[in-house]
Amino acid sequence: MIYLDYAAATPMSEKAINAMKPYLAEDFFNPSAPYLAAKKVREAYEDAKNQIAHVIGAKGNDIIMTAGATEANNLALSGASHILYLITEHDSVRNIARAHGGEEIAVDKNGIIDLKDFASKLTDDVDMVSVSLANNELGTIQPIVEISEIIKKARLSRLERGIKTPLYLHSDASQALNLVNISVARMGIDLLTINAAKVYGPKGVGALYVAHGVKLHPLTLGGGQENGLRSGTENVAGAVAFAEAIADAHEHINGNRKKYEKLSEIMRRELLDCFVEPVFLGSRKKQLANFVPVCFPGIDAERIIFKLEEQEIYLSTGAACAASKGEKSHVLKAIGLSDKEINGSLRISLGEGNNEEQVVTAAKAICKVVGEEYARING
Ligand code: PLP
């Protein structure tokens, strides 16, 4: 099998699996129970939260553990009343934002935020801005520091004019966490979503960083865990595995970036040999190193995917979730692609298990199938 869909899911690392095992059985105690064995579990949980937070330059007490990035995004945005969000955001941001006075910010042809459009929409009643650090279809990395500078100026201006509406910056770093050094303070981020499922940790585990002073509405009420923002017995095994996975990702960020730059370069070079000329999407300079979003105009990408699957090569059209609903990608629409171009778009996302040989084999297989499809369509 050649797996080229790491943006959809990563396998759990051995280290993460081993780290979580003790907390599934022998150390199963509820961390809130009063006996010593449970207190040790509580300690392990707090240590895990500290480790996770450390990677983004925060403290354990600043993060709220959640059951994945969808929940973290919902928790971040559900208390807001007028949200500006990037048109290319993941559905877990778009759908909650739309329910809370959501207004879209435009992007350019590479999927980068249109800062002029953003500044013009940043009126005094906007209380939340949500821009992901990196997009899940194009891998586009947003200029988050420039965005937070604009927000800081708007806050200052509000203060001077006696306007009390708060203004927060939320960023979904689900895809970026593997390959971008994140510091919430340096980047001026008030709320940050992270996702274990994309960094070789368990699915259904994520967290929301919450800066001091930011007021949120809890989604679940109950025993008051996670500073009252996320009631429910803590997922200790999940947090411990996330901590292990995220620490590993962080330690190897530079090496991994170089590895994926090289592999994606090889993939691009090989795809240029295809009979139908590929159009690479996004700007290479502002893109996660492991992403190769590519379009073969006029070719049906769905058919390419099925044919490659027969050869045990797995990749995706746009985002896995949009594709499974049979919807056209809102991200590719937002960067101005025509329906024909959207239909011919593939998302290749590289990861741990890939090497040069696999990339060359997969690229040749893609070219072969694209050529066959071209011949079929054009008689
Ligand atoms: N945000 C982004 C950018 C994603 O890529 C994903 C997953 O594909 C999510 C949020 C949702 O994550 P989960 O399904 O783990 O809740």
Side-chain angles (χ1 to χ4, degrees), residues 35-111:
Y35 27 85
L36 190 62
K39 288 199 166 70
K40 287 195 174 145
V41 173
R42 161 73 54 203
E43 269 170 36
Y45 182 68
E46 301 300 342
D47 285 351
K49 281 185 69 174
N50 278 323
Q51 269 186 58
I52 295 166
H54 176 73
V55 167
I56 56 166
K59 298 262 185 302
N61 205 33
D62 303 331
I63 63 167
I64 309 300
M65 297 303 297
T66 61
T70 299
E71 187 191 328
N73 286 339
N74 276 259
L75 177 61
L77 304 181
S78 65
S81 62
H82 185 171
I83 303 175
L84 293 187
Y85 67 100
L86 208 60
I87 187 169
T88 51
E89 288 304 302
H90 187 268
D91 276 347
S92 57
V93 166
R94 288 167 84 214
N95 288 336
I96 185 76
R98 283 169 173 168
H100 292 265
E103 204 182 334
E104 290 172 345
I105 310 168
V107 293
D108 69 12
K109 67 176 180 11
N110 288 319

Side-chain angles (χ1 to χ4, degrees), residues 146-223:
E146 279 179 65
I147 295 165
S148 69
E149 286 302 324
I150 293 172
I151 287 177
K152 273 181 208 153
K153 279 194 194 129
R155 274 192 202 129
L156 209 62
S157 158
R158 285 185 190 184
L159 200 68
E160 283 165 3
R161 290 177 295 126
I163 294 164
K164 296 212 171 73
T165 313
L167 176 58
Y168 302 135
L169 173 60
H170 166 251
S171 188
D172 178 353
S174 292
Q175 295 289 344
L177 193 57
N178 259 335
L179 289 165
V180 176
N181 274 308
I182 299 175
S183 155
V184 282
R186 179 176 54 78
M187 293 173 158
I189 293 170
D190 303 299
L191 295 157
L192 183 88
T193 293
I194 50 177
N195 190 348
K198 312 289 183 186
V199 292
Y200 306 87
K203 292 178 187 57
V205 177
L208 181 69
Y209 158 78
V210 185
H212 294 199
V214 178
K215 299 268 177 297
L216 294 180
H217 285 200
L219 300 174
T220 52
L221 298 177

